[in-house]
Amino acid sequence: NKESSTSTTVTVTWSSTPTLGSVEYKFKTTLIDAMGVDVASRPLTPTVTGASVCDHGSMTLYASSPDAGVIFRWYNAGGSVLGTGPNFTTPDLYTTESYWADASNDAFTSSKAHVQAVVIPRPTPPTTGQSSYSACGPSSFSMTALEVLGDPFFVYTWYDAELNGNVLATTEGTYETDIISSSTSIYFSRTIEGTACESDRTQLDLA
């Protein structure tokens, strides 16, 4: 006998307008699983981790996803693909830049996640309003950094040398020395609280 073949048409009626994810889910949990066919689903939006740098520099951004086997793509603000993979290294940046990353499998691409590579401007060197202090005989000196209204909150670090040296104290603005009996110099810098962005040091002469 001549073999015959049949085909089956399946009509699906939705109770409401479905999203792509719900379409995939309904098929996969009803008809597709019964047929033994695997259908890829849209990857989740990746989790991205930004970075920051003081003054300028290159930074590495990271992307991750619970979906196995996805490929990450990185984009600039203009939508151009800059690279692929779970991390992306920026060029040497002098200003904060925005980037985006998505995740794709063989069939679908996730929505894009936004991340920033933040450039923190280096603070200007601090000042107390004077460059030298003097006293008659051995004395302790008290010095207070001047701040401008609207400045971010700074942490001040006091040193015994212009470069490297030892940290004498870290304060919110005022530093009082031990008793000093001979001429010397101390140096202090300021750092925006919560960052590692430190200014150059200012010299103060004590006599």
Side-chain angles (χ1 to χ4, degrees), residues 24 27-40:
E24 292 164 358
F27 268 105
K28 193 168 184 178
T29 56
T30 54
L31 178 63
I32 301 303
D33 278 351
M35 296 172 62
V37 177
D38 189 22
V39 175

Side-chain angles (χ1 to χ4, degrees), residues 18-29:
T19 62
L20 179 58
S22 67
V23 172
E24 292 164 358
Y25 178 78
K26 287 175 183 282
F27 268 105
K28 193 168 184 178
T29 56

Side-chain angles (χ1 to χ4, degrees), residues 12 47 129 149 206:
V12 179
T47 298
L149 184 65
L206 311 179

Side-chain angles (χ1 to χ4, degrees), residues 96 152 162:
T96 296
E162 184 175 9

